[in-house]
Amino acid sequence: MKKVLITGAAGFLGSHLCDRFINEGYHVLGMDNLITGDLKNIEHLFKLKNFEFYNHDVSKFVHVPGELDYILHFASPASPIDYLKIPIQTLKVGSLGTHNLLGLAKEKNARILIASTSEVYGDPLVHPQTEDYYGNVNTIGPRGVYDEAKRFQESITMAYHTYHKIETRIVRIFNTYGPRMRLNDGRVVPAFIGQALRGEDLTVFGDGSQTRSFCYVDDLIEGIYQLLFSDYVYPVNIGNPNEITIRDFAEEIIKLTGTDQKVIYKPLPVNDPLQRQPDITRAREILGWQPKIGRSEGMKNTLEYFKGLSKEELYRSEHKDFSSYS
Ligand code: UDP
């Protein structure tokens, strides 16, 4: 049985990856320090013989016993309000954490896939974003800790590939949504759905003319799975090119939830990218991958998930206490 280590296993994407690799017959080692992850996302896996969980911060030396075939590095805070609350940890997991996992990959002769992001393009001056675009990032802005850690992550991953000849893969993930997103992580999908379900007005930042392109989680996981088993070492965008303004997206959520909430406008956060849309030509050509699930189907599934939360969960303002992490 092949063994795979998934970091960020209790998070949104990490937990879906654990499910996928379990379903494909792998032995899965899930690792998470639970700083932004939640064990609830993987509690259904604990009874399985081919799943093990390590509560560990990958910014510190990582050891796992025995052989290892694959590593998927998905540990990181992933939302702008988290970067503000835990900027140092965000920098560390993308840089030191990646270094540790590349070292582990070298030691175990394992193939490693690292989760990069559309944030490497910053507030992009090229639209849609192709992998060749170098980006427009403010190093010292509020998102800089995430963006620059991820840019460093790509550099060190390529360096390990060229210098140490280890097998590496880099996925640049665009906005993704679906079940298990953290309700209060501040990102727009859970924010709007939570507001609609609580009967609150939907908060659009700026005038809402900024765009995003939302990919359903199952499509994303499929793209990542295919990339891991491809021969391609350079970064690949995975996302859904269907672009929408945030203002129109708010209206869509109001329609979908059948509520009569209003949209209210709040200031646009600093360095909030004005437009974002993946060019997925490379993924199409190299992997034969493209998204299959449209926003109406994906959002319906996502809404069902959030409707299943308890009242207490829906009204809890923030269940994460970051104060004890260093
Ligand atoms: N946004 C918004 N209202 C909210 C939360 C987010 O208008 O309550 C906007 C945010 O300013 C951004 C977009 O929605 O332009 C997507 O934000 P998110 O945090 O989901 O992801 P990112 O900005 O990293 O793409």
Side-chain angles (χ1 to χ4, degrees), residues 136-147:
N136 177 36
V137 171
N138 177 4
T139 56
I140 56 167
R143 291 172 183 250
V145 292
Y146 181 69
D147 301 5

Side-chain angles (χ1 to χ4, degrees), residues 80 119 122-124 127 129 143 175 186-188 192 202-214 242-250 263-277 295:
E119 284 284 327
D123 190 3
H127 193 74
Q129 292 78 55
R143 291 172 183 250
N175 293 70
R187 282 186 290 177
V188 70
F192 283 175
L202 273 61
T203 51
V204 166
F205 298 159
D207 64 3
S209 62
Q210 72 271 33
T211 67
R212 293 296 185 272
S213 309
F214 297 102
N242 188 353
E243 187 180 10
I244 185 173
T245 66
I246 294 301
R247 195 176 36 220
D248 288 350
F249 185 57
V263 168
I264 55 168
Y265 292 87
K266 297 223 165 154
L268 189 68
V270 174
N271 294 149
D272 197 291
L274 293 182
Q275 50 181 3
R276 186 182 287 153
Q277 183 193 34
R295 216 170 37 244

